[in-house]
Amino acid sequence: TQLLEQSPQFLSIQEGENLTVYCNSSSVFSSLQWYRQEPGEGPVLLVTVVTGGEVKKLKRLTFQFGDARKDSSLHITAAQPGDTGLYLCAGRAGSARQLTFGSGTQLTVLP
Amino acid sequence: DVKVTQSSRYLVKRTGEKVFLECVQDMDHENMFWYRQDPGLGLRLIYFSYDVKMKEKGDIPEGYSVSREKKERFSLILESASTNQTSMYLCASRRDYEQYFGPGTRLTVT
């Protein structure tokens, strides 16, 4: 069974601060996605990474896939209240049909 | 844009009722999924389908069934709703790497 561990579980920061969320596993994933979910809504796909060492940027968000494809990080620069939400990582192991989801990081950015 | 729609955003049903939750995707994706999401338990996979009329059990299939008669539509059925099935239900579809979710259905069983 593949497991994805996210840390931290909760994060509360002031507007303008930087933060990093981690997603770690002992398993190798062929791809990894990051989602953001707001209360009462479905998760929204932010990015997909598929190559070891890959770095993708989405405005103030930077996503990195580990060289061994076992871990990933999400870095937010100068966080804003609009970044508040539940961040989920999800990985696909090999040709598995279903994704493995992390437990999520609840981010609160205070104005 | 990929679009996954769910038939209801909010639903209130009584114990013992049969409940249908429908999901439609417009991107010709082969794979479709039903999850439930509960505080402290994260996303849990109920059932998924990788082709029309094909289905596989996920991690928590008990008390649920599914139907996929057409590629774009995947239905979740609660044969006899119980209070422990009160939850947020999320449908998703995927082809290759990217999986997209619908807006969710908040089901309350009283």
Side-chain angles (χ1 to χ4, degrees), chain A residues 12-17 78-84 107-111:
Chain A
S12 182
I13 61 171
Q14 293 293 136
E15 182 176 1
E17 292 183 3
Q80 299 177 0
D83 296 326
T84 292
L107 172 66
T108 303
V109 182
L110 302 169

Side-chain angles (χ1 to χ4, degrees), chain A residues 30-31 33 35 37 40-45 47-48 50 56 86 88 92 95-99 101-103, chain B residues 9-10 31 33 35 37 42-43 45 48 50 56 59 88 90 94 96-104 106:
Chain A
S30 57
S31 67
Q33 285 103 47
Y35 295 84
Q37 185 179 21
E41 302 291 332
V44 174
L45 180 64
V47 77
T48 299
V50 298
K56 282 192 173 180
L86 178 68
L88 294 162
R92 185 181 178 196
S95 59
R97 297 193 188 276
Q98 65 266 47
L99 299 180
F101 280 85
S103 55
Chain B
R9 293 300 306 273
Y10 301 95
N31 301 288
F33 306 82
Y35 297 86
Q37 187 176 32
L43 277 165
L45 181 63
F48 65 100
Y50 53 90
E56 283 197 27
D59 300 320
M88 175 69 144
L90 292 162
R94 192 185 81 234
D96 297 331
Y97 298 119
E98 300 191 335
Q99 180 161 310
Y100 297 91
F101 284 86
R106 170 68 65 182

Side-chain angles (χ1 to χ4, degrees), chain B residues 7-75:
Chain B
S7 50
S8 304
R9 293 300 306 273
Y10 301 95
L11 211 50
V12 180
K13 296 291 182 181
R14 293 193 180 277
T15 302
E17 281 192 82
K18 191 168 187 175
V19 182
F20 293 87
L21 302 182
E22 296 206 323
C23 175
V24 178
Q25 51 97 2
D26 66 357
M27 285 302 292
D28 201 36
H29 287 174
E30 296 88 1
N31 301 288
M32 296 188 74
F33 306 82
W34 275 107
Y35 297 86
R36 62 178 286 178
Q37 187 176 32
D38 302 285
L41 296 176
L43 277 165
R44 292 182 291 169
L45 181 63
I46 304 171
Y47 266 99
F48 65 100
S49 168
Y50 53 90
D51 202 349
V52 176
K53 296 191 186 294
M54 305 302 288
K55 60 185 179 185
E56 283 197 27
K57 294 179 180 179
D59 300 320
I60 52 162
E62 297 79 17
Y64 303 94
S65 61
V66 290
S67 172
R68 194 166 181 201
E69 296 297 318
K70 293 185 178 181
K71 192 174 187 179
E72 67 271 18
R73 189 180 299 269
F74 191 35
S75 301

Side-chain angles (χ1 to χ4, degrees), chain A residues 3 5 7-8 15 19 28 35 37-39 45 52 54 56 61-62 67 69 73 90 94 103 106:
Chain A
L3 291 175
E5 295 185 359
S7 61
E15 182 176 1
L19 67 111
V28 175
Y35 295 84
Q37 185 179 21
E38 298 188 12
L45 180 64
E54 184 176 4
K56 282 192 173 180
L61 279 61
T62 301
D67 290 341
R69 290 183 290 137
S73 64
S103 55
Q106 182 63 53

